[in-house]
Amino acid sequence: MKHFVVLALIACIYATSITEMTDKLAQYSDHPFGKSMVNLVSVNMKTGGSLNELKQLLQQIKDELIALTQLQDQENATFTRRSQVDLAKLQATLEQAQADLDNQRQEQSSLSNELATLQTRVKEDQAALDRNGRGSGDAQSRLDAENTDFSAKYQDYNDAILACKEAQRLLMNLRGEGASLIQLTQDTKSNLLQTKENFQKIKEILEAHTKKSSLTLFQPIIEGLAEMTTKVNPETLNNVLSLVARLITALQEGQDQLETNHKTQVENLTRLGDDLRNEKQTLQVSLATANNRLKEIQSRLNELDGLINISNALVEVTQLNIQDATKINELEDSEYSNQKVSRQTEIDIVDRLIEYINQKLSE
């Protein structure tokens, strides 16, 4: 009976202790670790285990929890540092890729503007080269026409001067013979008539390109020659000879002026041709340079298209990597915070139990 009373007393004390301990840990009633610790202490007390040994065990558990918390802090700090370094590298990569992309787009825009300018210049140079070709052909045609015209006119002057000298010789012979109508032979009359006709033809030929002042000399000469075919008047003869001499001088002056004008015209046309050839060479060099630059620009623009695509892709991938890294960091921080709160709760639970054991030991 006595033994039964003792057991009942122990059971009552145990029940009271469990109730007190449960009250102290009421706020952790739903915590798995709290339940485990309550069960551990309950079993120990139920089996009559040593409270000091139980306290040492709880202290050891607390020390391990604190050590685990410190280890997690260190690991989190290391992870945070590495994450910051990785994010900084990703950010630097992103900034460099964006800077490269901006530079490439600026270069692309600048080259596109230069390309448009050069294309306009090429069209203008080609148009100028076409005009130059037409101008060169026109200058050469004018030079050829000038030479042909000069040769014809110069020969006309030669023929006219020769005819005048022949007429002068014929008239000089007549004056030396003291010719009269009775003394004129048929041959002389024929020669005078032929000479008159020659002067008429020369006059018609020279009307297109000789001085008008010299043309006025033809008509009195022709009339004088016509008169002498029927009657040789010494006064008329001398007058015609004088007119012929003046005409020869006028024709020689006209021929000299023709030659001078021709020389000037040839020099001008030759200079024009030289200028056009120099302009052609300049235009050809300019055009070749522009076309070469166009090829360089087009090649670089094609290259930039590829580089811009690569830079765009790098920017997009890096942005995604930064987003992923940020999310991982946020998840890691959240997990670390939860673990830290959970670990601190476990330490608090052990502290409450140690406090409870100390209280029991002091009773």
Side-chain angles (χ1 to χ4, degrees), residues 130-191:
D130 293 340
R131 289 194 300 272
N132 176 276
R134 291 192 296 271
S136 295
D138 180 66
Q140 185 61 48
S141 296
R142 288 168 61 189
L143 182 59
D144 293 342
E146 171 63 25
N147 287 328
T148 300
D149 185 61
F150 168 76
S151 296
K153 290 179 178 179
Y154 195 84
Q155 187 60 45
D156 288 343
Y157 273 110
N158 278 339
D159 293 343
I161 292 171
L162 181 61
C164 287
K165 288 182 177 179
E166 286 294 325
Q168 191 178 45
R169 182 184 59 78
L170 175 62
L171 295 174
M172 290 290 289
N173 289 336
L174 287 176
R175 187 171 65 177
E177 294 174 358
S180 64
L181 180 59
I182 298 173
Q183 295 173 326
L184 286 178
T185 64
Q186 188 62 39
D187 289 340
T188 300
K189 291 177 65 176
S190 297
N191 289 336

Side-chain angles (χ1 to χ4, degrees), residues 156 160 196-210 214-215 218-219 222:
D156 288 343
K196 181 179 76 70
E197 292 176 2
N198 289 342
F199 269 85
Q200 184 64 43
K201 290 179 182 179
I202 292 170
K203 175 178 177 292
E204 293 173 357
I205 293 173
L206 294 181
E207 280 179 343
H209 51 264
T210 191
S214 63
L215 291 177
F218 275 93
Q219 193 58 37
I222 293 171

Side-chain angles (χ1 to χ4, degrees), residues 190-255:
S190 297
N191 289 336
L192 287 172
L193 286 171
Q194 185 62 49
T195 300
K196 181 179 76 70
E197 292 176 2
N198 289 342
F199 269 85
Q200 184 64 43
K201 290 179 182 179
I202 292 170
K203 175 178 177 292
E204 293 173 357
I205 293 173
L206 294 181
E207 280 179 343
H209 51 264
T210 191
K211 292 182 179 180
K212 292 182 179 180
S213 59
S214 63
L215 291 177
T216 58
L217 297 174
F218 275 93
Q219 193 58 37
I221 293 173
I222 293 171
E223 291 175 354
L225 289 172
E227 180 183 337
M228 284 189 292
T229 58
T230 57
K231 177 183 179 181
V232 177
N233 186 324
E235 183 180 354
T236 300
L237 178 60
N238 290 330
N239 185 49
V240 172
L241 277 172
S242 175
L243 291 172
V244 170
R246 287 171 56 193
L247 181 58
I248 290 174
T249 300
L251 290 173
Q252 287 175 336
E253 290 175 353
Q255 189 180 46

Side-chain angles (χ1 to χ4, degrees), residues 111-141:
L111 288 176
S112 295
N113 291 335
E114 184 181 355
L115 181 69
T117 300
L118 277 175
Q119 287 172 336
T120 300
R121 173 181 155 190
V122 165
K123 289 180 181 178
E124 292 174 349
D125 284 352
Q126 187 59 59
L129 198 58
D130 293 340
R131 289 194 300 272
N132 176 276
R134 291 192 296 271
S136 295
D138 180 66
Q140 185 61 48
S141 296

Side-chain angles (χ1 to χ4, degrees), residues 263-323:
K263 182 178 179 182
T264 300
Q265 191 70 359
V266 169
E267 289 175 352
N268 291 338
L269 290 172
T270 300
R271 188 181 304 110
L272 175 60
D274 292 340
D275 291 343
L276 288 169
R277 278 189 292 274
N278 291 334
E279 181 189 45
K280 179 180 180 180
Q281 291 177 352
T282 301
L283 287 170
Q284 287 174 331
V285 170
S286 175
L287 193 58
T289 302
N291 280 323
N292 288 336
R293 180 57 182 159
L294 281 176
K295 292 178 182 178
E296 292 174 359
I297 291 175
Q298 194 58 63
S299 175
R300 179 56 180 167
L301 284 174
N302 292 337
E303 183 180 357
L304 282 171
D305 285 340
L307 292 174
I308 287 172
N309 289 335
I310 292 172
S311 295
N312 270 324
L314 182 57
V315 167
E316 292 175 1
V317 169
T318 305
Q319 287 174 335
L320 291 175
N321 288 340
I322 289 175
Q323 292 174 4

